Amino acid sequence: SSTGSLSLSGSVFEQVLENDRGYANESYFMPCDEKEQTRLAITQQCFTSMLGGQLCFQNIPRNAKRILDVGTGIGDWAIAVAERFSTAEITATDITCFQPTDVPPNVFFEIDDAQEEWTYTEPFDFIHLRGLSGAFSDWTAVYKKAHKHLQANGILEVADFGVITTTEPLVNSHLSIYNGACSSAAEKAGILLGLDHMKKSLLESAGFSIAKTRTLDIPLGTWSNDPRKKLAGKMALISALEGLEARSLRLLTRHMDWKAEDVRDLCDKVQVELMRPDVRPTIPCQFTVARKLMELSGWLISGTRAIRAASDFWLILGFRLRRRQNRLRFAERESMSPPVASAKLTLSYPIYASDFDPQNSSFLLVGGGGGEGRTGVGNKIVMFADQSFVGYQLIPYQTLINSSRKQTIAEVVDIDLSKNEDSVTSLAIASSTASSVTAFAGINSSQEDQDAGRNDHLRSFLLEYPPIKRKDAEEGRDMGTPTYKGQTAALGRASLFTTSTAAKTETYQRVTRFSRPCKINGGQLGAIATGLAPEGEIVLFDAKTNGPMGPWVEARLPLGQGVEAADVDIIGLDDIDGLPPGTFAVAYCTDYEVHAFSMTLKQKPNPEPHFSYGEPHPDVFASKTRPKFRSLRFITPHLLLLSQNRPNRQGADLLLLELSSSYQGKDKTLLLRLLL
């Protein structure tokens, strides 16, 4: 439907009148009359003030498609969400209906009791429950229904106020009498008041994983020195005073045999007590965010098992990076259990990039060095390093390493690069045979050439392996350190990035990546991405064109000012029926977002990347820093494995993301997040 709707029955406005208050039915203890609707509107403004103008504690994912608001009340939260997320469908439910009829077209109000069976046919990305203390007799059952109707990694947020207290205990106070009487009545009624329904055990028993919990002590009134708390406290006081009768009248008259006038008299006395200048009342407000995790076919949530299932993604079990120490630790898997053979080589300069031979994982290509103009540095490279070493100034160098021998690392091919140009900043093997590999590297031209407007940043090389004694190799005998090395040749160079109009730019080739050649026609797609560019860019090119010349560019993807691709990956789709030869899936990540699309060689115009996943902004009470994506790889054509660094060196995460069949951002699912 293109318009908002109200699912109404003929008796929806027939309230149950009791003690001059209107109720939705014979059982729910809170009223739903006009007086209560006014209180709910004030409470919504109080929450908004506490959250700094945000709609909820955990920001809703910007790509959320379906959102559910349980116990929506007057519907102001659901309407606000619908206005802010115009492409999402918001379903808002309550046991009665007093919501406005003039609503956004993407919000749908329904009469529904969350304690009954949930009949939704499509899962939700976000489920919201607020201010429902005492609403359900069996909260675990409600949480289980929410868990069942959430997407994998979907979010449940529960928010509520607790019991009013004072900073200094009041002796024989009317407030303590009120709290005690309501607690006894709730126990007899079989419901939970306060914050008991938000206990971790209840949510976990329903299958949820608790993401975070925050409790705020809200000052009732304007006595706080914090301007933000003062504004929230003013509205919270009004809501609390109006809620005294609403919360207690039916409970005490039905379950404690109080007379209505006695309940109202106590509420009046509590109001006077709370307004005394020497009393500083507070009320706790708790936010709990839980996520739905799930088992995958054969994969467990356990980090050990999931990493083991993903281990085929890597060609090595692990390596250690040591900053400011130019050492390579290489580990090769012999079986699923220890021991792991390893070797180490200490070098005289850092390296920035590496790639395994896709046909023979015993050979590792490494590139690095120190940039233009430095001398007196050794010419050996056998080390992994990250791009934080880019600022070093040492001699550029490139080496192919033989790791097949269990406890040594031997250089078998090397290329001395010009000392008048920059170091290797990225590196990838495009193709390989039994005797050689063709590799591409990111190497900036000299500063003089760059100042003249020329920067041939993309280079290609042929590296031939040296011959070995076949009999010794087959029998596994140590063949010793090679006495001579393989031959090399520079194949070409090109400038593919869009020329910047900035007066001075530090742009370099941050990422170089290739697909495997297609099985049908041998087509192959390559990708390079900028680093430190005024406006980030990804260039996709036909890797099978003879020589790195300009016409081979297939597409350019502008990323925008200040945005860079942290990583790119490509996988061929030639095994999928109905797709033409030379069709590929491409995925890339920036610091906070993942995008994917498909494209076919020799077909224009440029492909349109589709947003696949984004790291949500932190909640309003947390630090503004967010985890950053650092790498991604296709496991299958529709399954991505991503790595992510948490802020402030707090660790890293692995994420498993399922992409839609069309790569158009629809029906994508975050299947798994592993905290390392």
Side-chain angles (χ1 to χ4, degrees):
S1 174
S2 61
T3 59
S5 67
L6 295 169
S7 301
L8 305 177
S9 65
S11 61
V12 68
F13 295 111
E14 295 179 7
Q15 297 181 355
V16 177
L17 295 178
E18 187 176 309
N19 295 318
D20 297 325
R21 298 300 300 262
Y23 296 86
N25 53 34
E26 290 289 345
S27 57
Y28 186 42
F29 75 103
M30 291 294 289
C32 61
D33 49 22
E34 185 175 351
K35 188 176 181 180
E36 174 64 6
Q37 294 173 37
T38 301
R39 188 191 71 83
L40 290 175
I42 297 171
T43 304
Q44 164 67 11
Q45 293 302 314
C46 179
F47 273 108
T48 302
S49 176
M50 285 188 293
L51 294 170
Q54 299 297 316
L55 295 175
C56 40
F57 176 61
Q58 172 66 52
N59 280 359
I60 300 172
R62 75 175 197 178
N63 58 334
K65 295 183 298 181
R66 286 174 50 80
I67 299 169
L68 175 64
D69 185 27
V70 178
T72 190
I74 60 176
D76 42 5
W77 185 88
I79 292 171
V81 171
E83 291 173 343
R84 192 169 300 185
F85 294 85
S86 59
T87 60
E89 180 181 295
I90 290 82
T91 301
T93 67
D94 209 304
I95 57 174
T96 188
C97 184
F98 37 69
Q99 298 85 17
T101 55
D102 183 17
V103 299
N106 59 321
V107 62
F108 299 85
F109 291 103
E110 297 179 359
I111 306 299
D112 195 18
D113 187 347
Q115 298 182 106
E116 303 297 330
E117 181 183 0
W118 292 20
T119 58
Y120 308 109
T121 57
E122 295 183 53
F124 295 94
D125 301 291
F126 190 94
I127 296 180
H128 178 256
L129 295 88
R130 176 183 290 179
L132 296 180
S133 174
F136 309 126
S137 58
D138 188 352
W139 272 94
T140 300
V142 173
Y143 288 147
K144 286 182 177 179
K145 293 169 188 174
H147 186 272
K148 178 182 178 181
H149 289 272
L150 271 174
Q151 292 271 20
N153 208 48
I155 299 172
L156 172 73
E157 177 170 311
V158 188
D160 224 319
F161 287 110
V163 176
I164 301 173
T165 59
T166 57
T167 55
E168 296 294 334
L170 299 176
V171 180
N172 298 323
S173 68
H174 298 294
L175 177 62
S176 61
I177 296 173
Y178 175 89
N179 287 338
C182 288
S183 177
S184 298
E187 185 176 353
K188 288 186 176 182
I191 60 175
L192 299 174
L193 290 184
L195 300 175
D196 287 344
H197 64 292
M198 299 174 68
K199 288 181 178 178
K200 181 180 179 181
S201 58
L202 292 179
L203 287 156
E204 289 182 338
S205 66
F208 282 103
S209 172
I210 305 300
K212 51 188 171 182
T213 296
R214 181 68 58 85
T215 301
L216 304 176
D217 288 323
I218 307 301
L220 295 181
T222 58
W223 56 267
S224 174
N225 294 324
D226 186 330
R228 183 169 162 181
K229 289 185 177 181
K230 183 175 293 188
L231 176 60
K234 182 177 181 180
M235 290 182 286
L237 177 63
I238 298 173
S239 175
L241 296 179
E242 292 296 324
L244 290 172
E245 179 186 305
R247 188 166 293 273
S248 62
L249 185 57
R250 185 175 250 193
L251 277 178
L252 296 183
T253 55
R254 283 199 172 190
H255 300 284
M256 300 295 288
D257 297 326
W258 285 37
K259 295 180 179 180
E261 55 268 28
D262 293 335
V263 176
R264 290 191 169 100
D265 179 64
L266 176 61
C267 291
D268 290 341
K269 292 177 179 177
V270 174
Q271 286 188 6
V272 172
E273 198 168 73
L274 295 178
M275 295 294 291
R276 281 168 39 188
D278 61 322
V279 175
R280 293 190 168 187
T282 63
I283 187 168
C285 181
Q286 182 171 317
F287 299 88
T288 296
V289 177
R291 288 186 181 271
K292 174 181 179 177
L293 301 179
M294 63 182 297
E295 289 190 3
L296 310 175
S297 53
W299 293 45
L300 297 181
I301 298 307
S302 162
T304 302
R305 286 289 304 277
I307 291 175
R308 178 173 295 180
S311 62
D312 289 340
F313 163 67
W314 288 287
L315 296 175
I316 55 174
L317 279 179
F319 55 84
R320 178 179 299 174
L321 303 181
R322 294 192 174 187
R323 293 182 180 273
R324 292 177 174 82
Q325 294 186 40
N326 309 318
R327 295 180 180 177
L328 169 69
R329 290 183 177 269
F330 185 92
E332 181 179 308
R333 182 177 64 185
E334 292 184 323
S335 65
M336 294 305 296
S337 60
V340 175
S342 64
K344 180 180 71 174
L345 187 64
T346 301
L347 307 175
S348 59
Y349 48 86
I351 59 175
Y352 304 118
S354 61
D355 195 17
F356 281 98
D357 181 341
Q359 302 299 324
N360 187 346
S361 60
S362 293
F363 290 90
L364 176 67
L365 185 65
V366 176
E372 182 179 354
R374 294 296 181 95
T375 60
V377 180
N379 294 325
K380 300 288 185 181
I381 294 181
V382 191
M383 186 186 104
F384 281 97
D386 61 26
Q387 293 189 26
S388 63
F389 290 104
V390 169
Y392 279 64
Q393 295 294 315
L394 299 171
I395 289 181
Y397 197 83
Q398 194 164 299
T399 297
L400 195 65
I401 301 161
N402 180 354
S403 60
S404 60
R405 294 167 60 210
K406 297 303 180 183
Q407 295 182 347
T408 63
I409 302 174
E411 298 177 14
V412 295
V413 187
D414 62 68
I415 302 175
D416 270 316
L417 302 174
S418 171
K419 299 178 182 179
N420 297 322
E421 294 186 320
D422 202 358
S423 60
V424 176
T425 57
S426 62
L427 184 67
I429 294 177
S431 61
S432 68
T433 66
S435 60
S436 66
V437 297
T438 300
F440 288 74
I443 304 172
N444 275 356
S445 297
S446 67
Q447 190 61 53
E448 180 181 356
D449 286 345
Q450 293 184 57
D451 293 342
R454 300 186 305 273
N455 184 16
D456 295 329
H457 55 82
L458 179 59
R459 316 292 178 89
S460 59
F461 303 92
L462 177 68
L463 299 94
E464 295 182 348
Y465 294 141
I468 62 174
K469 297 178 181 179
R470 182 173 300 275
K471 183 177 179 180
D472 286 346
E474 290 175 351
E475 295 178 358
R477 290 197 292 268
D478 186 354
M479 296 171 289
T481 302
T483 57
Y484 62 94
K485 299 179 181 179
Q487 301 300 306
T488 66
L491 298 180
R493 57 175 62 199
S495 177
L496 299 189
F497 292 141
T498 301
T499 303
S500 174
T501 58
K504 185 175 177 59
T505 176
E506 300 294 330
T507 302
Y508 68 98
Q509 191 173 305
R510 177 176 180 175
V511 178
T512 305
R513 188 79 63 220
F514 290 90
S515 72
R516 297 288 182 92
C518 289
K519 298 177 182 178
I520 299 176
N521 64 357
Q524 187 176 19
L525 187 65
I528 56 175
T530 58
L532 298 181
E535 294 191 3
E537 181 182 33
I538 297 174
V539 178
L540 301 164
F541 54 90
D542 182 353
K544 286 299 183 181
T545 302
N546 291 328
M549 305 301 293
W552 69 350
V553 172
E554 291 286 329
R556 296 182 183 276
L557 306 179
L559 303 181
Q561 186 173 3
V563 180
E564 294 183 352
D567 200 7
V568 182
D569 200 25
I570 312 167
I571 190 170
L573 303 180
D574 48 325
D575 287 333
I576 299 178
D577 293 337
L579 294 178
T583 301
F584 301 89
V586 182
Y588 69 88
C589 59
T590 62
D591 283 349
Y592 306 116
E593 295 183 355
V594 181
H595 297 259
F597 59 93
S598 61
M599 64 174 292
T600 303
L601 292 175
K602 310 303 180 186
Q603 290 191 4
K604 304 294 182 179
N606 268 11
E608 181 182 352
H610 297 278
F611 175 82
S612 296
Y613 180 76
E615 184 60 31
H617 287 275
D619 64 76
V620 295
F621 302 109
S623 168
K624 300 305 179 185
T625 56
R626 289 186 282 169
K628 292 184 178 181
F629 293 113
R630 279 296 168 258
S631 61
L632 83 171
R633 291 291 184 273
F634 279 104
I635 302 297
T636 70
H638 295 98
L639 203 61
L640 273 178
L641 185 65
L642 302 104
S643 67
Q644 188 181 59
N645 286 345
R646 291 187 224 132
N648 303 318
R649 299 184 179 182
Q650 294 178 350
D653 299 342
L654 287 180
L655 291 80
L656 193 65
L657 181 66
E658 183 180 31
L659 302 175
S660 68
S661 58
S662 62
Y663 301 99
Q664 293 185 358
K666 299 177 181 178
D667 303 323
K668 66 276 175 188
T669 304
L670 183 62
L671 297 176
L672 188 67
R673 180 188 292 266
L674 299 176
L675 307 182
L676 303 183

